Amino acid sequence: LTACGGSDSGTEAETTFSFGDKDMAKVATGDFTGTMSMTGKPDTTFTLHLDQSKPASNPACGSRTFVHPLCVDLSTMGVGGVLTSADGTFDKAAVTGSLEVIGTEMKQGTLHLAVSGKSLSCTWDGSVFQTGQVMDASSGAALGTFTLKR
């Protein structure tokens, strides 16, 4: 979890969050089911298992934050797992991604997943995941939608 804040004296102040990593894990990890509706293909059901990612001691990827002069309170939890669809398009396909929550209260968040050249993104509204978008990871072209539930 990352926090930033400011004060009138110009020194950094610690931001107080009303949630922690265990709260985020309750939303983003575990076993899920869903339906994927891809353009030009029949709908298919799928299962998804996600675990919290462990930080690597020497990560092969990086992230950048551009913040000036304002700061955004942002919490990010990495996830990884497997996706299997009933139609065989995904057969225990490796999934990576993250849950992001903006703000100091966990009222909503966005789940971003990458699997087999596709990007999946959906919003968690504080109780359930809303219908998400499936996009081509390279071009960003819309490919369809998906639902996600416990």
Side-chain angles (χ1 to χ4, degrees):
L1 298 175
T2 305
C4 62
S7 68
D8 291 334
S9 65
T11 60
E12 191 171 311
E14 187 173 329
T15 301
T16 302
F17 289 82
S18 66
F19 63 96
D21 61 334
K22 288 181 176 68
D23 300 303
M24 290 183 74
K26 285 180 188 176
V27 171
T29 63
D31 294 312
F32 301 89
T33 60
T35 301
M36 197 170 293
S37 303
M38 304 289 281
T39 304
K41 296 184 179 181
D43 291 358
T44 186
T45 59
F46 65 86
T47 60
L48 173 65
H49 177 81
L50 294 174
D51 292 311
Q52 183 176 351
S53 298
K54 305 295 183 231
S57 59
N58 186 11
C61 59
S63 62
R64 302 185 309 165
T65 303
F66 299 100
V67 179
H68 182 73
L70 301 177
C71 184
V72 175
D73 295 316
L74 175 66
S75 300
T76 303
M77 173 175 283
V79 295
V82 294
L83 175 72
T84 300
S85 62
D87 69 358
T89 300
F90 303 102
D91 184 17
K92 296 182 183 173
V95 177
T96 59
S98 65
L99 174 65
E100 294 182 338
V101 175
I102 296 175
T104 59
E105 296 182 22
M106 196 164 163
K107 294 181 179 178
Q108 69 177 26
T110 305
L111 183 66
H112 302 281
L113 302 173
V115 57
S116 302
K118 297 182 179 40
S119 296
L120 287 70
S121 181
C122 64
T123 300
W124 175 75
D125 70 3
S127 60
V128 296
F129 285 101
Q130 300 299 307
T131 299
Q133 298 296 314
V134 181
M135 295 158 286
D136 180 272
S138 297
S139 69
L143 301 175
T145 61
F146 72 98
T147 61
L148 190 63
K149 63 182 180 179
R150 295 245 175 228

